[in-house]
Amino acid sequence: MEWTLEVIVVPVSDVDRAKEFYADKVGFKVDLDSQVAPGVRIVQITPPGSRCSIALTEGLPGAPGQDAMAPGSLTGLQVCVTDIAAAREELVGRGVEVSPVQHAGPEGWTEGPGGEAWNSFMFFTDPDGNGWTVQEAPSPLSER
């Protein structure tokens, strides 16, 4: 049996503002914007080339037995690109406040690319403060 990670709920305070940020500034594709029940809206957005989407919701009750996440409380979301410099340029050009490219080393984070595969990163947050990491991958997902 496959267990595929397909949707991650990103807690936001304003679905329209978040939709505009992720679609227009970050460049994710809007797959769905639907009122699935009275007062319940789901906007599903997918990063280009990703097998996993994010869901921005309004009025959706929390899952049974789970605490609701506060807007801006989600960190550790990570996407991969094959050219981090080009991805950074694209985000900056669209108005996203993104960190310089950095790499991890013995003293923590250092500005500049890492030099070895999988060790170049940049970071940004959405308007609510949900934190994203962008990592440079050595090849497209389809080749890994």
Side-chain angles (χ1 to χ4, degrees):
M1 172 184 342
E2 291 183 353
W3 290 52
T4 59
L5 182 61
E6 297 192 18
V7 179
I8 296 171
V9 176
V10 176
V12 297
S13 60
D14 182 326
V15 171
D16 289 317
R17 179 181 70 171
K19 177 184 174 184
E20 179 183 359
F21 175 79
Y22 285 109
D24 298 342
K25 290 192 172 185
V26 182
F28 292 1
K29 180 184 175 286
V30 177
D31 303 314
L32 170 78
D33 185 344
S34 179
Q35 185 166 356
V36 297
V40 179
R41 179 178 171 204
I42 297 175
V43 176
Q44 187 167 314
I45 300 176
T46 305
S50 180
R51 296 177 184 166
C52 185
S53 300
I54 63 170
L56 312 170
T57 65
E58 187 173 81
L60 186 68
Q66 297 179 9
D67 294 331
M69 291 182 288
S73 65
L74 188 59
T75 61
L77 295 164
Q78 186 164 322
V79 292
C80 291
V81 297
T82 55
D83 185 338
I84 200 157
R88 185 177 190 285
E89 186 177 307
E90 185 177 316
L91 289 175
V92 169
R94 291 182 176 177
V96 177
E97 290 185 31
V98 60
S99 75
V101 173
Q102 302 173 43
H103 65 278
E107 277 102 48
W109 293 103
T110 303
E111 195 167 319
E116 26 333 291
W118 298 103
N119 196 15
S120 292
F121 301 85
M122 63 181 170
F123 309 92
F124 69 90
T125 58
D126 72 10
D128 282 295
N130 294 299
W132 287 82
T133 298
V134 180
Q135 180 180 31
E136 187 173 67
S139 61
L141 180 61
S142 61
E143 296 174 16
R144 288 186 255 141

